[in-house]
Amino acid sequence: MSTDPLVVFTPSGKRGHFPVGTPVLTAARQLGVDLDSVCGGRGICSKCQITPSYGEFPKHGVTVADDALSEWNAVEQRYDDKRGLKPGRRLGCQATVQGDIVIDVPPESQVHKQVVRKAASARAIQMDPATRLFFVEVDEPDMHEPTGDLERLERALRDQWEIESITADVTLLSKLQPVLRKGKFQVTVALNKAHDDSIARVIDIWPGLHEAGLYGLAIDLGSTTVAAHLTDLETGEVKASSGIMNPQIRFGEDLMSRVSYSMMNPGGDKEMTAAVRDAINTLAEEIAKEAEIDAALIVEVVFVCNPVMHHLLLGIDPVELGQAPFALATSESLSLEARDLDLTAINRRARTYILPCIAGHVGADCAAVALSEEPGKSEDLALIVDVGTNAEILLGDKERVLACSSPTGPAFEGAQISSGQRAAPGAIEAIRIDPETKEPRFRVIGCELWSDEDGFDEATATTGITGICGSGIIEAVAELRIAGLMDDSGLIGSEAQTGTGRCVPEGRTNSYLVHDSSAEGGPRITVTQGDIRAIQLAKSALYAGARLLMDQRGVDKVDRVVLAGAFGAHISSLHAMVLGMIPDVPLDKVMSAGNAAGTGARIALCNIAARKEIERVVREITKVETAIEPKFQDHFVAANAIPHKTDPFPELAKITNLPNPSFNTQGDSGGDDGGRRRRRRRG
C-alpha cells in the first residue's frame, strides 16, 4: 500500500497517491482532472485556482491536516497583491502536496466549464472550443542549432503542451519574430484545432501572457435578420448580442424571390453575397464596440443559416435550390478561413465553421435547432418549430426524427402587414380585445404598461405608438376570432354585423381599428383583411408542414410543442393555438426555446465535440420535402380556417369557447373575390 499522500479532487471524485512535493496542478493532470492552465504551471496566468479543504472527510476516508499543502509562497502573494485571490484559494501550480488532501476545483478553474444555456432546460454547454490560448517559453536562436522561429515554437508546444504539429500562414510569420523578441521568447499563442484535423493552426501570437481574452461569434444568418452572439471562448459567457436587418431584403423579402432575382439578373447572386458579407462585417464591428473589445480578438465564427442563405454566404448561385430536385452544392459542414468569406472586420486569420445542411430546403439553422433541443433524445413526441420567414420544423423522439421546411413568408415578422414593422420600441407587441365592448387594449415594446393603465401615455411619449410587430399581429388576429369580430374563414364583420364602430369599411372589406393618432400626426393602426390573409397563408404553411411530419410518423397528435426562434419566444401559446399555427396540445405543453438556432450555433462555437455530434445526427434525420408532397396542398387549404377546417382542437375548447359567426352572408360583405368564389364552389 502506498505511503504517499492521498489527493482527492472534487467535484470529479478522482483520487490518487502522489509523492510529497508534487504540485497540485501536476497531480490533476496525471489524474485527468479538469484544471485549467494557460501558462503551463509557471505561476503567471492564475487559471489553476483551487480550494483546499481541511478536517475530517469520512466519505473519502481521509483526515486533512492544516499543513497538507505547502505554505503560501511569493508567487501567490504577488498575484494576490496584484489582482486578488478569493479567501481560501490557492494556485494549483504553486501549492504542493505535503499530506492527504481534499481539493475542490471551482467551475471557473475548469477547462471544460459548464455554462447554463437557458433556465428553461438548465442544460449546460461544456466548454471545449476549437480555438484556445497556450503560453509557451520558446528556445532562443542558436547558431549551433540552425532552426527557424516557427520550428522552435512548434517544438515548445510539443514539449510543453503535447501539441504535435502546427501550421501558420504568411501573415502570422510576418509578426512571429518581432513578437517573440518583444516577449523575450515567452509568448501566448491562439491555436485552432478542428475536430476533423490533426494539425493546429496558429491564429495569433502575443508577447508574454495574453490576458485580453479570446472571442468568437455565433451567427444566425436569417432571411430577414442577422443575429450574432459575441462569446468569450474561455468562459462561454455571451458578452454582447446584436442583430441587423438582412440587406438582401431589397432583392426580395422571401427566399424564392431572391432565387428569382438571381435567375433574372446576371450577377444578382454576387450582389446579394456582397451585401450580406458587408452586413456581417458591420455587425462584427458594432458588437465588438458594444462589448468594448478589440475586434481582432474575434478569432472564430460559427454560422447557421437556411440553404439559400448558406449558398449566398458562400458565394454560390442558389439557382438549383429554386427547382426540383433542390440540389445543394454541398450539405456537409464547412471549415474555412474567414477571409474566404470576405470577413475583414475580425482577426485576419480567424476561422469559420458552418453547420451541415439537412436537405435542399432544410438548412444548417434547422441542424442548429436539433443540436440545441435534441429531439432525438426526447422520451415524448416533440414538435419543434423555428418560426421565421421560412419555418424549420422537427418532429421526433428517441425512435425517429423527421424534418421539413415550410415557406411561411415574412408576415410573422411584421412584413407585408399594413401597419407592420420590426420589433422595436413603439411597436404593439401584445393586444387584448374585450369580447363585450369590442374595445382593444395593447402593450408596446419599451413599456410594461397596458394602454388602458394610468401613465401609459407618458411612458410612451418618447417612442410613440408606431405600428404592430409579428407577435402583435398574431395576437390581434387571434383576439378578433375570440371576440367574435372575425369568423372562422378569416372575414372581419362590418359595424352592423359586429356592433362596434371599430370595424370600419375599407374598399369591399372591413378592417379593425386598433389605434388612431392621426389627429396628432401619428399613425392610424388597423388590422386589414389583407393582413389577415397574409397571416392565414403563413400559419397554414406552418401547420401543413407539421401535419406532413405527423402523417409520416402515423400520428394525429403530438405530446408537446416547442416554439423556437427569437420570434417564437414572444408568441402567446394561447393565441398561436387559436390561430391554428400549431397542433392542439394542452397549453402547458407549449413552451418557448428562445433563439434555439442561435443557441445551437453557440454550442458548436464552444464545443468541438458538438460539431461532430450534429454532423452524425443530421445524417440520421428523415427529410420530408414539402414542395413535392401531394398532401401538403390539402393540409394547407384545410388550415386556412381559424383555427382549422377539419382537425379538432379539444384542448383549446377546454379553455376558450370560440364564437361561430359568419360574415359572408351577403355578396360583398367581406373577403376578396377569389375567396368568395372558392367558398361558393365548395357549396
Side-chain angles (χ1 to χ4, degrees):
M1 184 175 179
S2 174
T3 57
D4 290 334
L6 175 66
V7 181
V8 179
F9 286 96
T10 62
S12 67
K14 293 182 178 179
R15 56 172 57 204
H17 291 273
F18 295 91
V20 170
T22 302
V24 170
L25 178 61
T26 301
R29 284 180 169 174
Q30 290 182 16
L31 289 174
V33 171
D34 205 11
L35 181 57
D36 203 355
S37 175
V38 169
C39 71
R42 297 174 178 83
I44 299 173
C45 72
S46 80
K47 299 286 185 183
C48 62
Q49 293 182 32
I50 50 99
T51 303
S53 300
Y54 302 94
E56 297 284 341
F57 295 91
K59 176 183 176 182
H60 302 301
V62 66
T63 299
V64 181
D66 292 342
D67 59 355
L69 288 183
S70 59
E71 293 184 0
W72 182 266
N73 68 16
V75 173
E76 292 171 301
Q77 187 62 52
R78 185 178 70 238
Y79 183 83
D80 192 31
D81 292 342
K82 188 176 179 182
R83 292 187 187 150
L85 279 171
K86 289 183 180 179
R89 289 276 179 92
R90 299 289 303 272
L91 295 183
C93 63
Q94 300 300 308
T96 61
V97 176
Q98 302 297 317
D100 294 346
I101 183 71
V102 174
I103 294 170
D104 182 64
V105 181
E108 60 267 34
S109 296
Q110 296 170 19
V111 178
H112 304 111
K113 305 169 184 69
Q114 290 203 330
V115 184
V116 174
R117 187 198 62 183
K118 59 176 190 276
S121 65
R123 207 185 100 200
I125 302 172
Q126 188 177 55
M127 290 301 296
D128 188 14
T131 308
R132 291 182 54 198
L133 293 172
F134 298 88
F135 178 88
V136 288
E137 294 178 344
V138 181
D139 292 337
E140 296 189 26
D142 186 341
M143 289 183 64
H144 301 291
E145 192 179 344
T147 57
D149 284 347
L150 180 65
E151 288 69 33
R152 281 182 283 103
L153 174 63
E154 183 176 45
R155 186 170 65 198
L157 285 163
R158 185 185 305 117
D159 294 344
Q160 296 164 38
W161 290 102
E162 298 180 354
I163 293 166
E164 288 303 316
S165 56
I166 62 171
T167 184
D169 72 13
V170 69
T171 64
L172 189 283
L173 289 176
S174 67
K175 69 181 294 188
L176 175 61
Q177 292 191 312
V179 168
L180 277 171
R181 282 145 186 84
K182 183 178 181 180
K184 298 179 180 178
F185 292 89
Q186 293 187 340
V187 294
T188 305
V189 292
L191 294 183
N192 175 278
K193 192 169 185 295
H195 62 292
D196 54 359
D197 197 344
S198 60
I199 299 176
R201 288 174 172 80
V202 183
I203 303 297
D204 218 329
I205 184 168
W206 298 270
L209 181 68
H210 172 75
E211 297 183 283
L214 208 60
Y215 301 92
L217 282 175
I219 296 181
D220 181 2
L221 179 54
S223 311
T224 305
T225 56
V226 185
H229 305 288
L230 179 70
T231 306
D232 188 318
L233 291 179
E234 294 184 275
T235 67
E237 179 187 357
V238 176
K239 292 293 186 180
S241 294
S242 188
I244 57 174
M245 297 299 288
N246 188 329
Q248 292 177 345
I249 285 176
R250 69 178 184 265
F251 303 104
E253 286 190 322
D254 58 65
L255 296 175
M256 286 304 104
S257 62
R258 292 180 205 175
V259 173
S260 296
Y261 183 84
S262 179
M263 289 176 173
M264 302 298 292
N265 298 275
D269 61 308
K270 293 180 174 59
E271 285 183 81
M272 291 186 281
T273 294
V276 78
R277 289 179 177 180
D278 285 347
I280 294 166
N281 279 317
T282 299
L283 182 57
E285 289 173 355
E286 290 177 353
I287 204 168
K289 187 175 181 181
E290 180 185 341
E292 299 181 339
I293 68 157
D294 180 358
L297 295 175
I298 301 173
V299 295
E300 194 166 7
V301 185
V302 168
F303 284 102
V304 300
C305 42
N306 61 58
V308 173
M309 293 311 309
H310 174 275
H311 278 39
L312 289 173
L313 171 66
L314 291 169
I316 301 169
D317 192 333
V319 61
E320 292 296 332
L321 297 174
Q323 55 199 5
F326 314 110
L328 288 153
T330 177
S331 58
E332 296 292 322
S333 65
L334 295 169
S335 295
L336 306 166
E337 301 282 356
R339 59 175 174 261
D340 291 341
L341 303 178
D342 299 328
L343 303 186
T344 56
I346 58 178
N347 191 291
R348 65 194 303 191
R349 289 169 296 276
R351 298 285 295 172
T352 64
Y353 176 77
I354 304 174
L355 270 71
C357 290
I358 297 175
H361 280 162
V362 189
D365 48 359
C366 193
V369 173
L371 178 59
S372 172
E373 297 307 308
E374 299 181 310
K377 296 180 180 179
S378 177
E379 296 288 347
D380 55 4
L381 188 60
L383 180 74
I384 303 167
V385 183
D386 190 356
V387 187
T389 308
N390 211 51
E392 313 287 348
I393 308 171
L394 291 159
L395 176 69
D397 53 18
K398 284 185 173 182
E399 182 182 326
R400 185 183 176 202
V401 178
L402 303 98
C404 75
S405 174
S406 209
T408 50
F412 284 156
E413 295 177 324
Q416 296 180 350
I417 301 298
S418 60
S419 298
Q421 67 163 91
R422 68 184 181 88
I428 294 173
E429 64 172 342
I431 186 170
R432 301 291 181 270
I433 299 175
D434 189 305
E436 299 299 325
T437 66
K438 316 299 183 187
E439 286 296 299
R441 63 190 186 101
F442 52 83
R443 199 175 62 219
V444 301
I445 295 174
C447 178
E448 292 300 314
L449 298 173
W450 286 84
S451 58
D452 59 348
E453 292 184 292
D454 291 339
F456 175 81
D457 291 340
E458 293 79 4
T460 58
T462 302
T463 62
I465 300 161
T466 54
I468 189 163
C469 67
S471 61
I473 192 64
I474 283 176
E475 292 199 2
V477 175
E479 284 287 320
L480 287 171
R481 181 75 178 86
I482 293 170
L485 299 173
M486 179 185 75
D487 63 21
D488 64 354
S489 73
L491 285 176
I492 298 175
S494 65
E495 179 179 358
Q497 291 169 319
T498 62
T500 175
R502 287 195 173 268
C503 290
V504 295
E506 191 160 327
R508 300 179 65 185
T509 61
N510 299 293
S511 297
Y512 179 81
L513 179 64
V514 177
H515 176 73
D516 188 359
S517 58
S518 55
E520 296 83 39
R524 189 171 187 269
I525 300 171
T526 60
V527 179
T528 70
Q529 198 64 61
D531 296 340
I532 292 173
R533 185 59 181 155
I535 292 297
Q536 281 179 291
L537 292 172
K539 78 97 175 180
S540 298
L542 181 60
Y543 190 88
R547 279 296 320 184
L548 269 186
L549 297 188
M550 293 163 68
D551 289 347
Q552 291 277 337
R553 278 297 298 260
V555 299
D556 287 320
K557 65 177 186 176
V558 298
D559 296 316
R560 61 187 173 96
V561 176
V562 180
L563 296 172
F567 169 67
H570 299 95
I571 299 175
S572 155
S573 53
L574 170 63
H575 293 93
M577 193 78 71
V578 169
L579 198 59
M581 286 176 62
I582 54 178
D584 184 72
V585 293
L587 278 191
D588 62 357
K589 294 297 184 180
V590 183
M591 54 205 73
S592 169
N595 186 1
T599 299
R602 192 159 65 88
I603 293 171
L605 177 66
C606 293
N607 186 284
I608 55 174
R611 302 180 186 185
K612 191 172 184 178
E613 172 68 6
I614 194 56
E615 289 165 11
R616 180 193 65 78
V617 166
V618 160
R619 289 192 291 270
E620 297 176 357
I621 292 176
T622 301
K623 298 86 176 173
V624 176
E625 181 51 70
T626 58
I628 58 174
E629 283 286 341
K631 289 190 70 175
F632 181 83
Q633 189 63 24
D634 295 337
H635 286 311
F636 180 86
V637 170
N640 262 245
I642 299 174
H644 198 276
K645 185 174 180 63
T646 55
D647 285 0
F649 276 69
E651 296 295 338
L652 178 62
K654 292 177 184 177
I655 53 176
T656 183
N657 184 24
L658 295 179
N660 197 29
S662 177
F663 299 130
N664 196 33
T665 56
Q666 298 175 358
D668 60 352
S669 65
D672 56 52
D673 289 342
R676 288 199 303 277
R677 281 198 300 270
R678 283 193 296 273
R679 280 187 289 276
R680 281 200 295 268
R681 279 201 301 269
R682 288 197 298 268

